[in-house]
């Protein structure tokens, strides 16, 4: 009897690395009573099945469920959603920048690290593009293009938590990340896209 390999799941329009979901699970284990199991109990059946699957570190997975999952986790932890998402981003940055992405930030100057932030963003997500430039001493402006509109708020919160950790690896103090605007950036797969701009300063 000839058997065939199982079909490869169709890739979603907008994806995140498995690192994002594995990081969420590990963070929930530390910060949510009952861990991921308690979060799953507060999810709808479809999202629960998605979150219980086996994630591969370098695999690509639909990013949209992270909104439902993070909101359920924040409710379970009895924490405001923005604070919870930001804490998760800080935790993920501390883990990944001392581990899998250590070489990305293992360079001497703060200026060189901030100039690599756009590249670092694209290691986690398969949509859009990123760019940035130094505009003054200890002032960097970054643009993140092609963000699906439903993700804009979540993405901004994640950026505010992740970036200070990344820039701080070179010794920068009092890193400040300010969102300076959102602009329409076209459409993909029937979803409006947004360009987000960030102003990053440090001491």
């Amino acid at each position: 009897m000839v058997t065939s390999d199982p079909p490869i799941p169709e890739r979603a329009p907008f994806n995140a690395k498995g690192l994002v979901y594995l990081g969420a699970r590990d963070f929930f284990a530390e910060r949510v009573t009952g861990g991921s199991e308690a979060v799953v109990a507060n999810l709808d059946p479809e999202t629960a099945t998605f979150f219980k699957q086996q994630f591969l570190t370098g695999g690509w997975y639909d990013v949209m469920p992270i909104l439902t999952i993070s909101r359920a986790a924040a409710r379970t932890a009895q924490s405001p959603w923005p604070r919870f998402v930001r804490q998760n981003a800080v935790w993920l940055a501390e883990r990944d920048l001392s581990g899998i992405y250590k070489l990305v930030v293992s360079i001497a100057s703060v200026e060189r690290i901030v100039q690599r932030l756009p590249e670092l963003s694209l290691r986690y997500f398969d949509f859009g593009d990123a760019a940035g430039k130094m505009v003054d001493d200890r002032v960097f402006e970054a643009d993140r293009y092609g963000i699906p509109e439903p993700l804009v708020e979540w993405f901004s919160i994640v950026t505010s938590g992740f970036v200070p950790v990344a820039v701080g690896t070179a010794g920068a103090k009092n890193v400040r990340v300010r969102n300076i605007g959102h602009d329409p950036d076209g459409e993909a797969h029937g979803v409006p896209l947004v360009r987000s701009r960030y102003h990053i300063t440090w001491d």
Side-chain angles (χ1 to χ4, degrees):
M1 180 177 179
V2 178
T3 59
S4 58
D5 293 332
I8 298 173
E10 183 179 352
R11 190 153 161 171
F14 308 102
N15 297 274
K17 278 275 180 71
L19 275 172
V20 173
Y21 286 107
L22 292 170
R25 279 183 183 166
D26 291 344
F27 179 72
F28 298 166
E30 289 188 9
R31 303 297 177 88
V32 179
T33 301
S36 291
E37 290 83 0
V39 176
V40 166
N42 287 318
L43 293 172
D44 62 272
E46 183 178 355
T47 308
T49 298
F50 173 88
F51 194 47
K52 288 190 294 185
Q53 73 178 292
Q54 180 180 355
F55 293 104
L56 301 177
T57 299
W60 291 108
Y61 303 89
D62 186 1
V63 69
M64 294 302 184
I66 198 64
L67 296 175
T68 302
I69 292 166
S70 64
R71 290 189 184 279
R75 288 194 303 271
T76 307
Q78 298 183 330
S79 173
W81 180 70
R83 180 191 302 168
F84 189 84
V85 170
R86 188 178 187 282
Q87 290 173 341
N88 197 165
V90 170
W91 185 96
L92 187 73
E94 290 174 345
R95 182 196 68 174
D96 291 355
L97 299 180
S98 62
I100 191 168
Y101 291 145
K102 183 176 182 178
L103 289 178
V104 178
V105 293
S106 61
I107 39 185
S109 70
V110 175
E111 288 76 12
R112 290 191 65 191
I113 287 178
V114 295
Q115 289 172 35
R116 298 195 74 174
L117 288 175
E119 171 197 342
L120 188 56
S121 169
L122 297 175
R123 290 177 181 248
Y124 286 92
F125 307 99
D126 73 346
F127 50 84
D129 204 351
K133 61 182 178 180
M134 296 293 300
V135 296
D136 205 343
D137 183 40
R138 300 182 182 180
V139 180
F140 186 78
E141 287 190 358
D143 291 278
R144 187 59 168 85
Y145 302 92
I147 303 171
E149 188 175 51
L151 285 177
V152 168
E153 184 181 7
W154 176 84
F155 207 97
S156 293
I157 297 168
V158 168
T159 300
S160 74
F162 196 99
V163 167
V165 177
V167 180
T169 60
K173 305 297 183 183
N174 195 26
V175 181
R176 300 169 292 281
V177 181
R178 183 167 59 93
N179 187 287
I180 57 175
H182 303 295
D183 301 303
D185 194 30
E187 181 181 295
H189 308 287
V191 178
L193 303 178
V194 173
R195 167 199 176 202
S196 289
R197 291 172 287 128
Y198 298 94
H199 192 264
I200 303 166
T201 61
W202 61 91
D203 297 334

